[in-house]
Amino acid sequence: MNNKKDSSVGAKDVGKISVVTFAIMNIVAVVSLRGLPAEAEYGLSSVFFYVFAAAFFLVPVSLVAAELATGWPEKGGIFRWVGEAFGPKLAFMAMFLLFVQVCVWFPTALTFGAVSLAFIGPDQTFDAALSENKFFVLAIVLAIYWFATFVAFRGVAAFTLLSKWGGIIGTIIPAIILILLGFAFLFSGEKIQIELAWKDLVPDLSNFNNVVLAASIFLFYAGMEMNAIHVKDLDNPTRSYPLAIGMAALGTVVIFVLGTLAIAFVIPSADINLTQSLLVAYFDMFKWAGLGFLGPIMAICLAIGVLAGIVTWVAGPSTGLLEVAKAGYMPRFWQHTNNNGMATHILLVQGIIVSFLAVTFVVLPSVEAAYQILSQLAAVIYLTLYMLMFSAAIYLRFSQPNRPRPYRVPGGKKGLYVFAGVGFTSSAIAFAFSFIPPSQIAVGSPTTFISILVGLSLVFAIIPFLIYAARKPHWRNENSDFAPFTWQVEGVHPGVENHSDRHTESVTEMHREGKGDAQ
């Protein structure tokens, strides 16, 4: 009885998230300054890739996710969207892959946090060597991750607060400082490390190796749809969600483009290191500006930004998986929650998986090689989810054409087909490129590299189908408020066109009345 009271109070306290806070949460979830050095290598042509990826990936993701989240705002996120279109089996695979993708991604993001903390000392040469020490990286990765997990245990109010202010301190402010210093360096007349000529704006697309590595920029924009799971926590989500997503998308592009150029101005492309160059750029620019003492402080800020991003990602997918588990898709073990309503068992198992993956930094040849392998595995999984999301959006316009959609992709049905089709095609191309080892990074045997990616991808895709096949009726939690799919309530099949024009509230009320009659 007390637990139920605590849960309801907690939900009320969390209540509503402002548009600005939600936009910042999305920027924090998407923007990672750690990825900028990889694109700074391209100099001015990086602008082309950022704008290209924004047009063919970020814009479609933002528009399509806005339609799906406001048209089907019930709990579940991508599970809900895929399930409405293709049924529960693929929906469960999508939610499981999201959980796995986050687990795989954590060590790569946390590596940047470890490198940041390595640079808080006074000796930059020693700091650079420390950042390459695999045991140091492993220790910091585990420490930051488990701290973030215990913050998530405190509930939604705690992680949204840390996500907001940690994102401001560790992502937005550092990004502004990086951009201001980089362009101050440019306008001061100092010799910069790239050419600023129109001919350099469009890259050499005949170089296949450049295209492969540059294709990874699509995943720089991944995550804009993740916080759709919190859409019901917004005031007037029909208006607020698209507005917040638009603000976040614009801010993301600006930070990526200007931040990458700032690094390219200072560091020669031949000297760029995926894990260190951002910190080196800060130190070099602070030294140039006579503010060298700020270097270690910035390193701490960046580590805080990593923590904020990790907390956001720790809590998001685990919350979604908990709701799906309670709906009867996973055993009762996975449904355990604490007094704050957080999925403690899921979070703990997630932590064990992340810890195991982090150990790969000790086993593989170098921190940079491990970083790249895990990054591309995360990309393979995530791009699979995007292809499912775009496919679901297209199919739902056919199968549920009259479903009230408070926000629709511009251009009517043709507009949706264009944006979702472009997004699907872009995701498919980036997916294929993700299996090609980058020539710029020593990852060992290419055959081994590809085998690891293919093997793990297949394993992770098969596991959810095995769990689904083994599900039992008693797995469903009697207190679950997870709404059924529209086609379930109305007695049709997801593959059949359904002309119902019921609002979400109406469908849910039908479900409740049905349960009441049955009782």
Side-chain angles (χ1 to χ4, degrees):
M1 194 75 171
N2 288 337
N3 286 345
K4 182 180 287 188
K5 182 179 179 181
D6 290 343
S7 297
S8 63
V9 171
K12 187 175 181 180
D13 287 343
V14 173
K16 301 301 178 181
I17 301 174
S18 71
V19 171
V20 174
T21 297
F22 195 70
I24 292 174
M25 287 175 63
N26 278 283
I27 290 175
V28 171
V30 175
V31 172
S32 175
L33 301 181
R34 66 187 173 87
L36 301 187
E39 298 306 321
E41 183 176 337
Y42 298 101
L44 190 61
S45 62
S46 64
V47 175
F48 171 88
F49 287 114
Y50 279 124
V51 174
F52 179 83
F56 289 90
F57 186 75
L58 178 62
V59 170
V61 166
S62 300
L63 295 179
V64 170
E67 174 170 322
L68 291 172
T70 53
W72 290 266
E74 304 97 330
K75 294 179 179 178
I78 193 168
F79 175 87
R80 172 74 51 190
W81 309 335
V82 174
E84 288 281 2
F86 305 120
K89 190 180 294 186
L90 279 180
F92 181 64
M93 184 191 77
M95 179 57 72
F96 183 84
L97 287 180
L98 177 60
F99 175 75
V100 170
Q101 184 273 334
V102 170
C103 291
V104 173
W105 172 82
F106 278 133
T108 67
L110 287 165
T111 300
F112 178 66
V115 171
S116 297
L117 289 177
F119 276 82
I120 64 175
D123 186 344
Q124 191 172 338
T125 302
F126 174 81
D127 294 344
L130 183 61
S131 71
E132 279 293 319
N133 185 297
K134 290 178 282 190
F135 294 99
F136 171 81
V137 170
L138 177 63
I140 298 301
V141 163
L142 295 178
I144 295 179
Y145 178 79
W146 283 104
F147 178 74
T149 298
F150 288 118
V151 170
F153 282 166
R154 303 288 295 175
V156 176
F159 75 73
T160 53
L161 184 66
L162 179 57
S163 175
K164 176 182 178 180
W165 291 107
I168 292 173
I169 294 171
T171 299
I172 295 177
I173 290 178
I176 293 172
I177 291 174
L178 176 67
I179 293 168
L180 290 177
L181 284 175
F183 279 83
F185 185 86
L186 168 68
F187 294 127
S188 71
E190 295 278 356
K191 180 177 173 18
I192 60 175
Q193 302 299 325
I194 62 171
E195 294 289 332
L196 293 180
W198 287 111
K199 64 180 181 60
D200 298 314
L201 186 60
V202 179
D204 178 13
L205 297 178
S206 64
N207 187 330
F208 184 70
N209 288 328
N210 286 343
V211 174
V212 170
L213 189 59
S216 65
I217 201 171
F218 279 33
L219 267 294
F220 278 40
Y221 293 125
M224 192 62 74
E225 80 299 332
M226 188 198 70
N227 284 313
I229 195 169
H230 300 302
V231 68
K232 297 184 80 171
D233 295 325
L234 286 166
D235 277 316
N236 189 8
T238 300
R239 180 190 68 85
S240 299
Y241 183 84
L243 177 60
I245 288 295
M247 292 167 58
L250 179 61
T252 298
V253 174
V254 170
I255 289 173
F256 279 151
V257 170
L258 300 185
T260 297
L261 289 177
I263 295 174
F265 293 155
V266 179
I267 300 180
S269 61
D271 295 338
I272 287 178
N273 177 290
L274 294 187
T275 55
Q276 297 178 4
S277 290
L278 179 63
L279 275 303
V280 173
Y282 273 115
F283 272 76
D284 288 350
M285 286 190 284
F286 280 133
K287 185 177 179 180
W288 166 79
L291 301 170
F293 65 93
L294 291 178
I297 296 176
M298 182 56 62
I300 294 174
C301 289
L302 291 171
I304 292 173
V306 170
L307 177 61
I310 293 299
V311 169
T312 301
W313 281 90
V314 163
S318 64
T319 300
L321 191 62
L322 172 65
E323 296 298 337
V324 170
K326 287 183 175 181
Y329 292 89
M330 297 183 73
R332 290 293 180 115
F333 170 83
W334 300 94
Q335 302 175 26
H336 183 271
T337 59
N338 61 12
N339 290 334
N340 297 314
M342 300 306 294
T344 48
H345 284 181
I346 291 177
L347 288 170
L348 288 172
V349 171
Q350 180 174 278
I352 293 171
I353 295 172
V354 172
S355 299
F356 173 78
L357 290 174
V359 174
T360 59
F361 288 120
V362 177
V363 177
L364 289 171
S366 72
V367 172
E368 196 173 39
Y371 178 98
Q372 189 62 30
I373 288 175
L374 288 180
S375 291
Q376 292 196 222
L377 177 59
V380 167
I381 298 173
Y382 214 160
L383 287 164
T384 300
L385 296 176
Y386 279 117
M387 288 188 282
L388 283 171
M389 185 190 81
F390 287 122
S391 300
I394 293 173
Y395 196 75
L396 284 170
R397 278 290 185 98
F398 161 76
S399 63
Q400 297 185 32
N402 299 325
R403 171 79 175 200
R405 292 166 170 84
Y407 175 85
R408 288 175 177 259
V409 172
K413 185 179 292 186
K414 290 182 178 178
L416 173 73
Y417 291 163
V418 168
F419 282 107
V422 167
F424 180 91
T425 302
S426 300
S427 299
I429 292 173
F431 175 87
F433 281 165
S434 295
F435 288 96
I436 302 173
S439 62
Q440 293 92 333
I441 302 168
V443 292
S445 167
T447 302
T448 302
F449 180 90
I450 296 173
S451 298
I452 290 174
L453 287 182
V454 173
L456 289 177
S457 299
L458 289 175
V459 168
F460 291 142
I462 292 171
I463 289 176
F465 289 112
L466 297 178
I467 296 174
Y468 184 86
R471 72 194 189 285
K472 302 290 189 294
H474 68 270
W475 288 3
R476 182 173 178 83
N477 191 311
E478 58 277 3
N479 295 320
S480 172
D481 61 351
F482 195 85
F485 297 116
T486 304
W487 51 265
Q488 286 179 315
V489 175
E490 300 190 336
V492 296
H493 189 274
V496 177
E497 187 174 2
N498 177 16
H499 290 282
S500 170
D501 60 355
R502 293 181 180 274
H503 288 273
T504 297
E505 294 79 5
S506 176
V507 173
T508 304
E509 188 60 34
M510 284 178 59
H511 170 61
R512 289 172 181 163
E513 291 174 358
K515 287 179 69 176
D517 294 342
Q519 293 172 353

